[in-house]
Amino acid sequence: MDLHQVIRELTAVESNSESVSDDFDKVSYTVKTILESGKENAFSEQLGEFISAKEGEIEKMCNFHYQEFVQSVEQLLKVRLGTANLKSKIMNLNGEMQEAGSKIIEKKREIIDYRKILLNIELAMECVQTCLHVLDIANKINAQIEKGKYYSSLRMLDDLQTTHLPRIIEYNFARDMQLFIPTQRENIRQAVVREIRLWLGTVNERTRAVGKEALGISEKRESKRLENIITNGHSISLDFIASDDLDVYDAAGEHIDFKPLYKCIHIHDVLGKRKLFMDQFEGHRGTQADLVFKSNFILNCDDLKGFETYLQDAVGFFIVEAVIMGSTQNFRSRTNVELLWEIASEKLNKIVVDGLQECQNPEAFFIIKQTLTSFVYILQGYGYAVDKLRTLILSLFDRHVELTKMSCCEQIIETIEDDDCTPVTVENISEYQVIMNAIAFEKPLASMKFPRALPFSKTVPDCCYLIHTYVNGFYRFSNGFDQHHNEMDDLLKKSLEGILINTCGASLSRKLMDNDLGECIQIFINAEYFRMACGQLEGIFTEKKGLAKGQIVLQASKFFVDFRDVCEKRIINLVRERIDQYISQAAHYEWLATVVQPKPSTYLQDIANFASSLLKSELSLLRAENRQKIYDGIIRHLAQSFMTMLVTKSGKKISHAFVETYWKDVQFLEQFITVLGDSKIDEQFAELQQTLQFLLSDNYEDYVLTDLRTKVYPRVNPNNLALLLEKIRPEPSFMVGLSAAQKLKAKTIDSVLKFIREPKVAVRSRQYDE
């Protein structure tokens, strides 16, 4: 190892800080190498020589710069002297400054102490102010609670708890206040609960007033609807009639202020105790519902004020419930309210059904129906299910129809049974107008004179009045059942048919069979006016139902037309019986008379007098066509009676003189009937006339000739003629034989009888009989 080279390298190490670490590593490595090689002494010697060489170089360098060094030392000495003087001055100045600074420091310390005191005072004052503010807030909270401003109290409590108290929480009173805040919240809740209890008491007191007001509003709506029906002829919806001045919400708000409830709900919402309040409120309302609907109320038909009060309580209760549900959110459970409504509906249904079970007063049914209808209209508008109550009202309608129909039928039967079957006489225009209101049987004249006899008896206007009263009562009760119009119309039509046919018609039929001729004629006249009344009822019925639905036809009209025919037959039968009595009691002919009576039989005058009196009195009240039908029946019966008496009731033999007498009687009747003005007498008496003319003729053989028979004797019955020919045929007696003329007549009669009994003629005879 070359030690000189090593030393040169070591002395050549730069003093750069960035390479010091690396150079140190080289030195340490070099020293380690020397020590390991055992050349320490040699290295020391070489290092000494190197130092000596360097010191020599330094000395040369110093000798070269010596003068400059000396000058520098002198300058340094001068600087040293100036420095000493400057130091002395500085020391003096420092002493002065230390003396002055110590005073300033003392003052500064005093100032610092004062500032600390001031800061403590300010902090104390700020804390006191904060505490005073907190206490002031607490006092304001108590004041707000006393004023009932619970929501602002809760807001202030929340602000106090979250903002103000945390600033002074290190104080004991603040911690006490913090612990008292939940109690204060509960106090607020209890305060609003006390208020809501008072409010609920007020609601209970004013519920009836709300219900009464609402039912009154409904009645006003119904009055407007009826006025519209009268004015316009048709109904309109109650929703259209309802206006701001008829709002049941206003009715509820007018009597009850709901603000306490809303405030209580809001307070409980803020406190997070809404569910607790809902349960408490529901319990109270349930208790109130029990008081209203579970009471032992009994409906009295004779005094309905209690029922009206009951409905007022119910309406008021459920209007309050509806207003609460409509003005709050998720507060009142609709399920619970509907459950209360279901209980109330069932209770009301039971009260009405039980109370009316024995009731026979139709007016009570109407009042209850009207009240229930208003009840239903109101609560239906609030969304309550009213189907059961509508069914109840319909059942009331059925009972009302049954009662009014029964009452009407009983009065009609009594009226008809008590009728004396005499025409009504009106004394003045007022009585006439009353009857015209019952049945408009004619157009009133301005020049009517009173007293005036009308064609019908009092049964007609009295029964028509009863029927009109029933119809008006029916429509009065059915008012409001707009959705059941067709069913109502069908029911009314069916009821009217029953009243007119089964009651009125049946009573008239019984009376017809139990009375004499004059009364039967009056019943006949009454039947005609009843038919007219049916037509008027059809017009009223059609107008009520609507012309667009077509003309309504009552089967009762046809019934009274048919009944009129029954009356005609009854009248004709009674006349026949009277005529038969005259004939059977007074008609005594001498069948084998030899002399013709110069005058008609006396009993014919009695018949004529009877017929004339009948036509001029009772039958004169009938219409011309009806009178003619009865008249034709009477004439037909006279003709048949005289024909029957001639054919079957005469003796085994009759004489020519009897036939002539009989012919005179027939001519008397014909003349009498002609005077009365009948144009059909020839037709009615044709057979009798032609038969008698044939018997009185001298040419019986003319009957055999077809042309003559058809022309002269077309209505002669061959069978009757054969019987009469046998009776009038001359027969020889025991003592006396027949003359030539008689034999010829007998022979002619035998020829005619033989002709009549031929098969062709016999067939024609049977056809004639048929």
Side-chain angles (χ1 to χ4, degrees):
M1 177 180 292
D2 189 357
L3 295 177
H4 290 283
Q5 182 65 30
V6 173
I7 293 172
R8 281 195 296 273
E9 291 177 357
L10 292 174
T11 56
V13 175
E14 298 180 358
S15 60
N16 191 348
S17 61
E18 295 179 357
S19 61
V20 171
S21 178
D22 294 337
D23 292 338
F24 182 77
D25 292 338
K26 290 180 181 181
V27 172
S28 60
Y29 176 75
T30 303
V31 173
K32 180 180 179 182
T33 304
I34 291 172
L35 291 174
E36 289 178 353
S37 60
K39 295 179 179 182
E40 304 94 25
N41 295 328
F43 177 73
S44 300
E45 291 176 358
Q46 289 293 327
L47 182 61
E49 292 177 358
F50 180 75
I51 294 171
S52 297
K54 288 296 179 183
E55 287 178 347
E57 290 178 1
I58 293 170
E59 184 176 0
K60 288 179 180 180
M61 183 63 68
C62 289
N63 290 330
F64 180 74
H65 296 288
Y66 177 75
Q67 189 63 34
E68 295 177 358
F69 177 74
V70 172
Q71 291 177 353
S72 299
V73 169
E74 290 177 355
Q75 292 178 353
L76 288 171
L77 289 174
K78 291 179 180 178
V79 170
R80 182 179 177 183
L81 179 62
T83 302
N85 293 332
L86 180 61
K87 182 178 179 181
S88 176
K89 291 179 180 180
I90 290 172
M91 290 298 291
N92 292 333
L93 181 61
N94 181 49
E96 294 175 358
M97 290 182 67
Q98 287 292 332
E99 184 178 357
S102 62
K103 294 180 180 179
I104 293 172
I105 290 171
E106 186 67 26
K107 293 293 183 182
K108 184 68 175 177
R109 287 174 180 172
E110 291 179 1
I111 291 172
I112 290 172
D113 291 338
Y114 288 143
R115 284 184 175 177
K116 287 181 179 180
I117 293 171
L118 180 61
L119 180 60
N120 289 335
I121 291 173
E122 290 178 350
L123 289 173
M125 290 181 65
E126 182 180 354
C127 185
V128 170
Q129 290 295 331
T130 303
C131 293
L132 288 175
H133 182 62
V134 169
L135 293 174
D136 183 58
I137 291 173
N139 289 331
K140 288 181 178 179
I141 290 172
N142 291 329
Q144 293 290 83
I145 293 174
E146 291 177 357
K147 293 178 181 179
K149 298 180 179 180
Y150 303 115
Y151 178 70
S152 60
S153 301
L154 289 175
R155 294 294 82 188
M156 293 171 69
L157 275 176
D158 291 341
D159 188 44
L160 182 66
Q161 184 178 24
T162 58
T163 304
H164 301 290
L165 284 180
R167 298 176 183 175
I168 58 172
I169 197 65
E170 66 272 12
Y171 302 109
N172 292 333
F173 83 93
R175 288 192 291 272
D176 293 339
M177 289 180 68
Q178 183 80 12
L179 295 174
F180 185 69
I181 285 176
T183 303
Q184 189 73 317
R185 287 197 178 101
E186 181 61 23
N187 292 337
I188 292 173
R189 194 189 76 81
Q190 292 296 335
V192 295
V193 168
R194 285 192 295 272
E195 284 191 4
I196 205 64
R197 286 174 181 169
L198 294 175
W199 180 81
L200 286 169
T202 304
V203 169
N204 295 342
E205 294 173 357
R206 298 181 180 178
T207 294
R208 182 173 298 172
V210 173
K212 184 177 181 180
E213 181 74 14
L215 289 172
I217 289 172
S218 180
E219 290 175 0
K220 290 180 182 178
R221 290 180 178 177
E222 183 66 13
S223 298
K224 284 190 175 183
R225 194 170 80 96
L226 292 177
E227 290 175 4
N228 184 77
I229 293 174
I230 295 172
T231 303
N232 302 324
H234 60 83
S235 179
I236 58 177
S237 171
L238 284 174
D239 297 333
F240 178 77
I241 298 172
S243 57
D244 293 338
D245 60 327
L246 297 177
D247 191 356
V248 285
Y249 275 100
D250 293 342
E254 183 178 347
H255 296 278
I256 298 175
D257 182 11
F258 290 89
K259 291 180 181 178
L261 174 64
Y262 303 148
K263 181 169 68 174
C264 189
I265 294 173
H266 185 53
I267 294 301
H268 280 82
D269 284 341
V270 172
L271 293 174
K273 295 185 178 182
R274 182 186 182 99
K275 183 65 170 60
L276 174 62
F277 177 57
M278 287 173 60
D279 294 340
Q280 293 176 346
F281 188 85
E282 181 179 329
H284 180 88
R285 294 300 286 171
T287 302
Q288 180 63 20
D290 291 342
L291 293 175
V292 175
F293 305 118
K294 292 187 178 180
S295 61
N296 295 323
F297 174 75
I298 298 175
L299 177 61
N300 184 2
C301 295
D302 298 327
D303 184 7
L304 297 177
K305 292 183 179 179
F307 181 69
E308 292 177 359
T309 301
Y310 182 85
L311 287 186
Q312 290 169 6
D313 291 341
V315 170
F317 180 88
F318 286 106
I319 284 179
V320 170
E321 289 294 334
V323 172
I324 293 173
M325 284 193 296
S327 57
T328 60
Q329 292 183 351
N330 301 324
F331 178 65
R332 283 297 279 144
S333 170
R334 176 163 288 276
T335 302
N336 293 332
V337 175
E338 288 178 352
L339 179 60
L340 292 176
W341 168 248
E342 185 71 19
I343 294 172
S345 298
E346 292 178 358
K347 177 67 174 179
L348 181 58
N349 199 321
K350 187 176 186 302
I351 288 173
V352 173
V353 172
D354 293 346
L356 296 180
Q357 191 170 7
E358 302 297 331
C359 182
Q360 299 295 323
N361 182 7
E363 188 62 24
F365 277 83
F366 175 74
I367 294 173
I368 292 172
K369 173 261 176 184
Q370 288 293 93
T371 309
L372 284 177
T373 300
S374 299
F375 181 84
V376 167
Y377 277 144
I378 292 170
L379 297 181
Q380 183 184 22
Y382 287 101
Y384 293 104
V386 295
D387 292 340
K388 289 184 178 179
L389 294 180
R390 286 192 178 278
T391 303
L392 173 62
I393 295 175
L394 284 174
S395 67
L396 293 182
F397 180 79
D398 294 337
R399 285 285 308 281
H400 180 268
V401 170
E402 181 182 349
L403 286 176
T404 53
K405 180 181 178 181
M406 185 183 302
S407 175
C408 179
C409 291
E410 290 175 353
Q411 293 181 70
I412 287 175
I413 293 172
E414 183 179 357
T415 299
I416 294 175
E417 289 179 350
D418 295 342
D419 187 22
D420 57 1
C421 292
T422 57
V424 176
T425 300
V426 291
E427 300 295 336
N428 50 53
I429 187 65
S430 299
E431 294 181 5
Y432 178 79
Q433 192 59 46
V434 170
I435 292 177
M436 285 294 292
N437 290 336
I439 174 170
F441 64 95
E442 65 180 4
K443 292 183 179 180
L445 301 176
S447 59
M448 287 189 298
K449 295 181 180 181
F450 296 96
R452 182 183 180 196
L454 302 181
F456 44 77
S457 68
K458 68 182 184 67
T459 289
V460 175
D462 289 352
C463 290
C464 289
Y465 172 78
L466 291 172
I467 293 172
H468 279 293
T469 301
Y470 170 76
V471 172
N472 292 334
F474 184 96
Y475 279 116
R476 179 186 177 214
F477 199 96
S478 65
N479 181 39
F481 294 101
D482 296 343
Q483 66 273 32
H484 298 282
H485 262 169
N486 291 333
E487 298 176 13
M488 299 296 179
D489 292 337
D490 293 340
L491 179 58
L492 176 58
K493 184 174 181 294
K494 182 179 179 181
S495 297
L496 281 178
E497 300 283 16
I499 292 173
L500 290 168
I501 297 174
N502 299 331
T503 301
C504 188
S507 298
L508 289 173
S509 298
R510 288 193 298 270
K511 197 171 186 66
L512 180 69
M513 295 296 111
D514 295 338
N515 287 277
D516 59 19
L517 180 60
E519 293 173 336
C520 289
I521 292 174
Q522 186 61 63
I523 293 172
F524 176 87
I525 296 171
N526 291 348
E528 175 61 24
Y529 285 96
F530 274 120
R531 185 198 62 79
M532 181 187 297
C534 289
Q536 295 176 10
L537 287 173
E538 289 172 355
I540 294 173
F541 200 32
T542 301
E543 181 181 356
K544 292 281 188 181
K545 191 172 184 179
L547 293 175
K549 297 182 179 179
Q551 178 70 29
I552 304 300
V553 178
L554 293 174
Q555 293 299 318
S557 296
K558 183 178 182 303
F559 169 81
F560 283 109
V561 171
D562 297 337
F563 180 70
R564 190 176 57 189
D565 296 337
V566 174
C567 291
E568 289 178 353
K569 293 178 181 178
R570 173 64 176 166
I571 292 170
I572 293 173
N573 288 336
L574 289 174
V575 173
R576 286 176 176 178
E577 290 176 2
R578 186 72 61 85
I579 291 173
D580 291 341
Q581 288 177 1
Y582 284 119
I583 294 174
S584 62
Q585 293 175 6
H588 301 292
Y589 287 99
E590 188 177 351
W591 311 118
L592 297 175
T594 57
V595 179
V596 178
Q597 296 295 328
K599 295 180 180 181
S601 302
T602 55
Y603 79 93
L604 294 179
Q605 189 62 48
D606 295 336
I607 293 176
N609 293 336
F610 165 72
S612 178
S613 174
L614 182 64
L615 292 174
K616 291 178 181 179
S617 57
E618 287 92 344
L619 292 182
S620 63
L621 301 176
L622 302 180
R623 297 176 184 271
E625 61 271 19
N626 302 130
R627 185 168 60 249
Q628 187 64 48
K629 288 181 67 175
I630 296 175
Y631 190 35
D632 291 344
I634 295 173
I635 296 173
R636 187 182 307 109
H637 181 67
L638 280 172
Q640 291 174 353
S641 297
F642 271 76
M643 191 68 197
T644 301
M645 183 167 57
L646 177 64
V647 175
T648 62
K649 294 185 179 180
S650 58
K652 295 182 179 180
K653 289 292 182 177
I654 57 176
S655 65
H656 193 274
F658 160 74
V659 175
E660 287 189 21
T661 300
Y662 203 76
W663 170 244
K664 285 184 178 182
D665 288 349
V666 172
Q667 285 182 318
F668 174 81
L669 283 177
E670 290 178 352
Q671 291 173 0
F672 168 73
I673 294 170
T674 303
V675 171
L676 294 178
D678 179 50
S679 60
K680 299 181 180 179
I681 186 170
D682 292 337
E683 181 180 351
Q684 303 291 353
F685 277 81
E687 181 184 358
L688 181 60
Q689 288 176 339
Q690 294 175 19
T691 301
L692 290 174
Q693 289 173 357
F694 178 78
L695 292 177
L696 294 175
S697 70
D698 295 329
N699 300 314
Y700 289 167
E701 64 272 9
D702 290 345
Y703 191 79
V704 179
L705 302 176
T706 303
D707 294 338
L708 284 175
R709 183 179 68 252
T710 305
K711 181 179 180 181
V712 181
Y713 309 112
R715 300 296 298 276
V716 174
N717 187 325
N719 293 330
N720 292 338
L721 182 60
L723 292 174
L724 292 173
L725 286 175
E726 288 181 351
K727 289 184 178 185
I728 204 172
R729 181 179 182 277
E731 294 289 343
S733 63
F734 177 74
M735 299 294 295
V736 181
L738 297 176
S739 63
Q742 290 177 334
K743 289 181 181 179
L744 179 60
K745 184 177 181 180
K747 184 177 180 181
T748 304
I749 290 174
D750 291 338
S751 299
V752 174
L753 289 173
K754 182 179 180 182
F755 172 78
I756 291 173
R757 293 188 176 104
E758 288 181 356
K760 291 182 180 181
V761 180
V763 171
R764 187 169 69 250
S765 298
R766 286 195 297 272
Q767 292 175 350
Y768 186 90
D769 292 336
E770 292 174 358

